[in-house]
Amino acid sequence: MTTTPEAMTSHPLHTGVTADAPLITEYLGGKTFTGEAVRPARRPVWFMRQAGRSLPEYRALREGTTMLEACLKPDMVAEITLQPVRRHDVDAAIFFSDIVVPLRLAGVDVEIEPGVGPVLKNPVRSAADVAALPDLDLKDFEVISEAAAQCVSLLGPRPLIGFAGAPFTLAAYMVEGRPSRDHLGPRTMMHADPQTWHALAEWTARASGLFMRAQVLAGASAVQLFDSWAGSLGRADYAERVMQHSAAAFAEVADLGVPAVHFGTGTGEILDLMQRAGADVIGVDYRLDLAEVATRLPGTPLQGNIDPALLTAPWEVLEAHVHTVIEAGSRAPGHVVNLGHGVPPETDPDVLTRVVELVHSQPVN
Ligand code: CP3
């Protein structure tokens, strides 16, 4: 680890503060960060999109501040990141931000419209558009470092998970200019103008990689790459035109040595490739059978995959489902309980707290 930057010597994984946290030991397949075999003190659980609209305290704090303004205020980011930890006692915090924040920090004109999602003033569709994208530098991410460092000092032994959007998902927003269902624009571009596609994906890979790097250098103990739209790609397109760019995003943090999770939705056909892109852990969406994924990816720690739709089902139905997920996850060398996609905004937060209590009440393997 001679290449590990100086900043990592005070990182919570290296000082030992988070080295044997249940989240980390499951991500590492039953080992602490220093390599000793352990059983976690309890079965770890967190929820994608746990910070956000399902919490009244989040809605109250965000009143009068746009989403992207909130993401650029370190105090607010730290408070929102901590809210679900205090309320639900989850085993990790996920950094409160958004996948398009690196675009904004790089100088791209992007907004997050409520009820819509990310919208770009000038979609990126030609070679000239890509060539005009701003240069990227870790220095552009200082506000992220400051916010992440605040989160880390408040969290103590509970790990902070840093994240980024994967190059394809981020590029899909940039080409379409707004959310879309089938992502025709980027899928056309990768065949019709492969050179422009690869130049754009290289840019998004670096934006996402630096965004994760800023969070890890500030103390995040794990990272997760969200490729929410990768499920719209055929296997050949993913293998030949996308995977290398996700690998490049992971490579920006590889020297820092933190566990890396790769998550996408509708990705049953490409899970093995997503793992090969550089992930230690695969995030499994709710459409897949977790037990079957454990068989298909032997030796791989898994995360997931409670169906978010069941959060509004009667408790007995949800409870039985959580037991099924725990039982399936026990076939993998490590398992972190999570949802199979984000918390829906209308979720009753008390249900999430109850799921955490249920998961923690179950014996660890
Ligand atoms: O708790 C957490 O998970 C941490 C924060 C987080 C947000 N977005 C906050 C957010 C994370 C990890 C994301 C990732 C993200 N953002 C993804 C990948 C994960 C996924 O859900 O598939 C994607 C595709 C985006 C893009 C995006 N940002 C969308 C589609 C939306 C929803 C728009 C809407 O209003 O319906 C956003 C906005 C957003 N990001 C909100 C939050 C809390 C809601 C904005 C608000 O509260 O006003």
Side-chain angles (χ1 to χ4, degrees):
M1 297 277 263
T2 47
T3 58
T4 304
E6 193 63 26
M8 290 303 278
T9 54
S10 56
H11 187 281
L13 278 177
H14 290 269
T15 60
V17 175
T18 58
D20 62 354
L23 180 97
I24 298 302
T25 63
E26 290 298 308
Y27 277 172
L28 297 177
K31 291 200 193 90
T32 65
F33 184 67
T34 48
E36 294 129 55
V38 276
R39 282 163 143 205
R42 66 186 192 185
R43 194 179 283 277
V45 53
W46 68 278
F47 304 111
M48 290 183 279
R49 294 285 183 98
Q50 64 190 14
R53 289 173 295 180
S54 65
L55 299 184
E57 58 270 36
Y58 167 80
R59 292 195 295 265
L61 193 65
R62 271 285 317 284
E63 194 92 32
T65 311
T66 69
M67 174 66 191
L68 286 178
E69 278 167 9
C71 293
L72 302 179
K73 293 185 177 198
D75 293 351
M76 200 180 260
V77 169
E79 171 58 22
I80 296 173
T81 300
L82 269 285
Q83 282 177 345
V85 177
R86 288 194 207 108
R87 185 189 261 266
H88 305 306
D89 192 24
V90 277
D91 294 273
I94 179 138
F95 185 63
F96 177 78
S97 195
D98 193 81
I99 61 169
V100 296
V101 167
L103 304 189
R104 168 66 79 93
L105 290 172
V108 172
D109 194 334
V110 59
E111 263 311 333
I112 294 183
E113 288 186 10
V116 178
V119 177
L120 271 80
K121 185 160 175 235
N122 304 305
V124 178
R125 293 181 180 154
S126 67
D129 294 340
V130 175
L133 286 170
D135 285 342
L136 292 161
D137 193 293
L138 194 59
K139 283 200 206 76
D140 299 334
F141 295 80
E142 259 161 28
V143 65
I144 298 304
S145 311
E146 191 186 331
Q150 275 197 37
C151 296
V152 169
S153 72
L154 292 167
L155 283 162
R158 214 167 305 221
L160 176 70
I161 302 174
F163 79 94
F168 174 72
T169 292
L170 207 51
Y173 280 110
M174 293 174 79
V175 176
E176 298 282 354
R178 55 191 306 110
S180 79
R181 214 172 55 174
D182 300 319
H183 317 292
L184 291 174
R187 292 200 291 117
T188 304
M189 185 197 271
M190 64 177 73
H191 289 273
D193 188 356
Q195 217 178 337
T196 299
W197 164 255
H198 287 297
L200 173 58
E202 276 165 26
W203 191 90
T204 55
R206 185 151 160 79
S208 288
L210 290 178
F211 186 51
M212 287 194 287
R213 192 168 181 87
Q215 295 168 67
V216 175
L217 288 174
S221 290
V223 288
Q224 176 160 326
L225 199 61
F226 284 86
D227 211 348
S228 304
W229 310 145
S232 70
L233 294 165
R235 187 174 166 89
D237 280 354
Y238 187 80
E240 288 155 28
R241 296 158 208 265
V242 171
M243 180 181 160
Q244 66 271 45
H245 301 295
S246 296
F250 279 127
E252 294 278 355
V253 290
D255 62 318
L256 306 181
V258 305
V261 186
H262 204 172
F263 172 79
T265 66
T267 48
E269 294 298 318
I270 57 169
L271 275 186
D272 58 321
L273 301 177
M274 288 177 66
Q275 183 190 30
R276 272 177 32 208
D280 304 297
V281 180
I282 287 291
V284 181
D285 94 359
Y286 65 87
R287 297 166 185 84
L288 297 171
D289 178 346
L290 193 63
E292 202 222 304
V293 174
T295 313
R296 271 165 59 188
L297 300 178
T300 308
L302 301 177
Q303 176 171 278
N305 76 343
I306 297 169
D307 186 345
L310 298 199
L311 294 172
T312 44
W315 173 250
E316 297 68 36
V317 174
L318 175 57
E319 187 182 27
H321 176 59
V322 172
H323 280 295
T324 306
V325 167
I326 289 174
E327 154 61 25
S330 69
R331 298 174 201 205
H335 177 220
V336 171
V337 179
N338 203 315
L339 302 180
H341 200 171
V343 175
E346 58 280 3
T347 303
D348 174 355
D350 291 343
V351 172
L352 295 177
T353 307
R354 211 169 162 190
V355 170
V356 174
E357 285 166 1
L358 171 62
V359 172
H360 286 163
S361 74
Q362 298 306 298
V364 288
N365 304 316

